[in-house]
Each structure stands twice: as structure tokens, then as C-alpha cells.
Amino acid sequence: MERLENLKQQLTEAATTMVPQQEAFIGSIDQGTTSSRFLIFNKAGEPVASHQIEFKQIYPQPGWHEHDPLEIVDSVEKCIDKAVAQFEEQGHSGKSIKAVGITNQRETTVVWDHTTGEPLHNAIVWTDTRAQGLVRKLKQRLGAGDLQSICGVPLSTYPSVSKLLWLMENVPAVKECYDKGNLAFGTIDTWLVYKLNGGRKRNIFVSDPSNASRTMFMDLKTLSYSDALLDFFRLDTSKLKLPQIVQSGDPKAYGNLASTVLQGIQITGCLGDQSAALVGQKGFHPGLAKNTYGTGCFLLMNIGEKPVVSTHGLLTTVAYDFHNMKPSYALEGSIAVAGSSIKFLQNNLEFIESSAKVSQLAETVEDSAGVTFVTAFSGLFAPYWIDDARGTLFGLTAYTTKGHIARATLEATCFQTKAILDAMGKDSGYDLKELAVDGGMCNSDLTMQTQCDLIGIPVIRPSMRETTALGAAIAAGLTVGFWKSLDEFKDVNSQGTSTFKPTVSAEERNTRFARWEKAVQMCRGWAS
Ligand SMILES: Nc1ncnc2c1ncn2[C@@H]1O[C@H](COP(=O)(O)OP(=O)(O)O)[C@@H](O)[C@H]1O
Ligand SMILES: O=P(O)(O)OC[C@H](O)CO
């Protein structure tokens, strides 16, 4: 009997050694402001295949910015198919992808008729300022001053609520749908999950707290919708369908992919892109921060398990709310215009052929020769919140060249980051020792050196810069046990980082910053 048991044991061991354990992977959808991507990560947190598609930016009027919601879904589906094809060419099987995570541009607002599943308007993008007048009126309403203490976000054109209210006031089809009780509202995470699950048929209608915290409808402490907020905005939830708020990691709530080559694979993680970048940069402990230089630029600092309301012009947001863990919060400094100012030099002023050429142009000069560019195309966000500012160039002389303007453009994001970092120190009580960076614009060494000189602490850039996508993969992977705990990420993406060290004196830093602050004060009131 004992011999038989031994034989059985030997056979089992032999079978395990003969059939190699198939390597598993996690997929990540990164739906940004200018492009969609799909990446496939291995257990070491390395991307092994990816595809990216840029989609149309629609600017119908000055200050307006829209996306086609169907084009967004289409671009995501194409990215999945193309990345998986690349992955399979490497000899892997699509079936080895255990789960998919989603990360997305936040605040961007989609409305659709829940009976048809059809969008009723283009998505209004987070940068859009059309609701400026509406926001001014809301600010006069009794109780306006109390909103941020509930939801963490200041009343402005930035959160989704201003976009939704504008649509309800100005687009008859949206108003009609609301009156009939059929209006569905969603940020891009909700829209994508809904469509990727096949839309109306399955009607998976959810959002995670890091996205819901950008609407102005969610109470930060309870992570559920606040009656006080909805009442303030006079929204009737018997007519307006709001997505159910579920954890950022959930094994069931996000459903599974109804189309693409990954049909049937479950979606188990979801994070707003800035929260995802904090996760991808391993910002798991209070006091850790990252700055992401994408279309806009967003500095997030982990502040732990309790939300702190800013008194210095920052936002409070949900960092992540993982499966079987307590939620973590972050203080955030949001800059509306960062990489988009480089696109402006490229597409509108035709100074450069591609974003990558901006450093070269800026390096044709030693400094900005007194030129300061307040790139307030959408007003100025944190920490200033000046909604009637517009892009303003100061200090032009007959000496000024394209190079000076390019340099001043790069500097604008760095100055605003310095202002945010100062505010962050006051609000959080943490003294940041170094700044982790990512996002498209961090590819510019000149920008990162300028940033470092202006804040006076080292700037650390990882070699793998797809940290946003990694964050969503982490949310999805933790949920299905692909990764077991946050400790597993200690060594992920820690090789080959670049460190920028300060090269200017505190005196020079302060002089340059004072000139920026003067420019900020002088650009007030232009769009009033
Ligand atoms: N080498 C570079 N130098 C400066 N800016 C760059 C560079 N490469 C990309 N960018 C800027 O980065 C932005 C895209 O970054 P990305 O992180 O992909 O943004 P998003 O997620 O918002 O779409 C673009 O606005 C582009 O102008
Ligand atoms: O597209 P990004 O990376 O600039 O991020 C957009 C933000 O989520 C807007 O709040």
C-alpha cells in the first residue's frame, strides 16, 4: 500500500516537472486624454506587449474640448486586439491573461440614454471651460462653501458635475432624457466598462471611488453618493442614473470583455489615471508622492486612510480602494496644461514637428530671456484656481525667439509644480525628499532638470514609464491573487532610474519663482 502511495506521489511530481507551469499575465487598458493603450504585464511588472492609438481631439469653440465616446471605445478594442496579436507572435496565448484592469482620464463626462445605450452628446473633456458661467452662478448658491469638505474637490469647471449640468441646460436631448428618467451619466471608466461588457444587454454600470471622487457627487468619507451634494446641484436621482460605486479592485462588479480577442476575460480593477500612476510608482505609504506630466500634470501624495481637506488650493481624492484592504486617500495638485502646451507649440504655432523636438528647440537658448508663459488655456487650476485667466505670454522683446518661448513653455509646468509642492508641504505636513515622475513630458531631460532646479530636491524618473498602466494592472492583479500583497512590488521598476539633482542656488530659484508668481497675478480677469 505504502509503495503504491509512493509511486503515485512520484508520478504526480514527474507530471508537474514535465508540464511547465504556464506563465500568467495581466492586461491593462490605459484610456488617456490623447490616446488609448493596451499593455500586457508579466509577474515582474514588466510590459511584454502593447499597442497605442491616438484619437481625435474636438475643439468646437474656444475653451471647448470634446471626444467622440464611440471612437474611444473603438480605439480601446483595437489596442487590445493589436497588443494581443503581438503577444501571441511572441509565443504566448491570450488565455494566459488572467484579468484586465482599466485606467482612464478622469472627470470627462459621457451621457447616454440607458434604454438604448446610445450616447446623447460628445464626451465633454476635463479641460473644457464652457461651464464657467454656470459655475459662477453655483458659487452664489447657499452652501457652496461647504462642498469641498464633503467631496474634496473645489467647485470649478474641472469636476464632472459642471459638465453634466451644462449638458442638461443646453442640450435638449439630454434634458428630455432626464425628464423621462432615462439619463445615464458616467465618467470614462463607467462608459468603457459598460460598452466593453456589451452595453445595454448586460448593463454593467459601475465606477470606482478614485473616479467617482472626481464628480462632486461622492462623499469622501463614506465612498457613497452624498444627498447633500446631489441636493445642492438639484439633481433628482429618480431621473438621473448614477453608476454604482464599487471598490477599485472587485472580482465580479466590472464584468468581463464581451468583444475583442480577449472575449470572456474578466475586468477586475479600475483606477483613475492619476491614482493609477501613484500605485504604479509604488506610492503605497503616507508621504510618498509622484508627479505625472501627461496632457495635464498631476502631483499626488498618499495621505493614508483618512481624507484631509486642503486649505492651500489642493484637492483631496481617493488614491485606491483595493479588494480586501482599507481605502487610501491622496492630496492632489492638478495642472490643466502640461504636455498639451507642447502640442500647442507643435500643432497651433508649428514651432516643432513633434513633441520630442521641444527640448532641442528650447536648448537653442540659454534661458527664457525674461519670457514667462502662463499656459492658462483652461484657466489656472491648483493651487491658484483662477477660472478667468487665459494663456498669457509676458516679457516679449525684439530679442525673443522661438527657443525662448519653447523654454518658457516647459518652465510653466515646472513653476506650477513648485507652487503645488509648497502647498502640499503645508497641507500634508510631509516634507518631500524627492519627487518621482512619469508621463510623456518627463521624457524631456531639460524639463526634468528645470523641474529639479525649481523645487530644489532630486527628481527620480523610472526607466519603465508606463506606470499608469502598471497601476491598473496592479489593481486587477491583486484582486485575482496574481499578486498577493503590496510588498511584492518593492523591486518592481527600480532598475535603471534617472536621477536629476539641483544645480541652482536657493536665491536664484526664489527669484525665478517670484517672477512666475507675478505673472500669475497679472493674468487674472482676462476671460471675465
Ligand atoms: N519628449 C517629449 N518632450 C516633451 N513632451 C513630450 C515628449 N513626449 C511626449 N510629450 C508630451 O506628453 C504628452 C503625452 O503624454 P501621455 O502621458 O501619453 O499623456 P495622456 O495620458 O494625457 O494622453 C503630450 O501632450 C506630449 O506633448
Ligand atoms: O490625460 P492625463 O494623463 O493628463 O490625465 C487626465 C486627468 O485624469 C484629468 O484629471
Side-chain angles (χ1 to χ4, degrees), residues 435-501:
L435 182 65
V437 297
D438 51 42
M441 196 173 161
C442 89
N443 289 313
S444 159
D445 285 3
L446 177 63
T447 308
M448 292 304 100
Q449 187 57 54
T450 306
Q451 184 65 86
C452 175
D453 287 342
L454 287 174
I455 58 178
I457 55 171
V459 165
I460 315 288
R461 184 175 65 187
S463 68
M464 198 290 285
R465 316 235 166 110
E466 299 291 353
T467 44
T468 304
L470 175 61
I474 289 175
L478 280 171
T479 309
V480 294
F482 179 80
W483 289 295
K484 306 275 185 273
S485 82
L486 299 180
D487 294 338
E488 280 187 52
F489 303 106
K490 252 193 298 221
D491 297 328
V492 165
N493 205 18
S494 49
Q495 296 297 310
T497 53
S498 322
T499 301
F500 296 84
K501 296 204 173 119

Side-chain angles (χ1 to χ4, degrees), residues 247-477:
Q247 285 196 288
S248 316
D250 191 299
K252 292 218 172 78
Y254 295 104
N256 53 58
L257 295 169
S259 58
T260 78
V261 287
L262 294 187
Q263 191 178 11
I265 305 274
Q266 54 184 345
I267 304 168
T268 58
C270 178
L271 284 169
D273 57 4
Q274 302 310 322
S275 288
L278 183 66
V279 169
Q281 289 268 19
K282 302 174 280 182
F284 300 129
H285 301 291
L288 294 179
K290 66 87 210 178
N291 203 22
T292 302
Y293 303 73
T295 304
C297 182
F298 303 87
L299 203 160
L300 266 71
M301 180 188 273
N302 187 323
I303 52 166
E305 292 173 3
K306 286 210 176 81
V308 173
V309 177
S310 169
T311 48
H312 296 92
L314 305 179
L315 279 70
T316 315
T317 201
V318 175
Y320 46 85
D321 182 19
F322 290 148
H323 190 53
N324 292 334
M325 287 186 217
K326 285 192 179 158
S328 280
Y329 294 89
L331 271 172
E332 170 175 329
S334 327
I335 302 175
V337 173
S340 52
S341 64
I342 313 299
K343 289 274 182 206
F344 172 78
L345 296 185
Q346 180 191 337
N347 300 330
N348 302 42
L349 303 188
E350 298 180 5
F351 277 14
I352 41 176
E353 282 161 26
S354 67
S355 299
K357 293 271 163 73
V358 70
S359 304
Q360 214 178 315
L361 176 60
E363 274 161 357
T364 58
V365 292
E366 291 241 309
D367 54 35
S368 72
V371 176
T372 299
F373 190 1
V374 183
T375 49
F377 301 155
S378 300
L380 269 182
F381 287 8
Y384 308 109
W385 301 103
I386 309 175
D387 67 353
D388 54 13
R390 286 297 175 269
T392 315
L393 263 172
F394 292 91
L396 299 183
T397 65
Y399 180 76
T400 306
T401 64
K402 288 179 183 177
H404 297 119
I405 295 176
R407 208 170 246 271
T409 308
L410 297 178
E411 287 175 354
T413 304
C414 303
F415 279 127
Q416 208 172 337
T417 293
K418 151 104 178 115
I420 285 169
L421 213 59
D422 291 349
M424 193 77 79
K426 291 177 195 148
D427 272 337
S428 70
Y430 288 106
D431 198 10
L432 206 63
K433 297 281 179 285
E434 55 184 37
L435 182 65
V437 297
D438 51 42
M441 196 173 161
C442 89
N443 289 313
S444 159
D445 285 3
L446 177 63
T447 308
M448 292 304 100
Q449 187 57 54
T450 306
Q451 184 65 86
C452 175
D453 287 342
L454 287 174
I455 58 178
I457 55 171
V459 165
I460 315 288
R461 184 175 65 187
S463 68
M464 198 290 285
R465 316 235 166 110
E466 299 291 353
T467 44
T468 304
L470 175 61
I474 289 175

Side-chain angles (χ1 to χ4, degrees), residues 45-114:
E46 297 156 345
V48 295
S50 68
H51 194 76
Q52 175 173 7
I53 296 177
E54 287 206 5
F55 56 87
K56 211 174 356 145
Q57 305 298 317
I58 306 166
Y59 300 104
Q61 291 188 33
W64 293 30
H65 188 183
E66 298 178 358
H67 290 155
D68 175 349
L70 295 174
E71 187 187 357
I72 284 186
V73 177
D74 187 55
S75 68
V76 166
E77 289 179 337
K78 284 199 176 106
C79 285
I80 294 175
D81 285 341
K82 296 265 186 195
V84 174
Q86 192 190 99
F87 181 64
E88 291 190 331
E89 269 167 32
Q90 296 166 14
H92 301 294
S93 154
K95 290 199 177 65
S96 60
I97 298 174
K98 294 300 165 211
V100 166
I102 296 183
T103 180
N104 55 283
Q105 50 168 324
R106 306 162 304 165
E107 299 94 19
T108 298
T109 296
V110 188
V111 283
W112 64 99
D113 182 333
H114 114 107

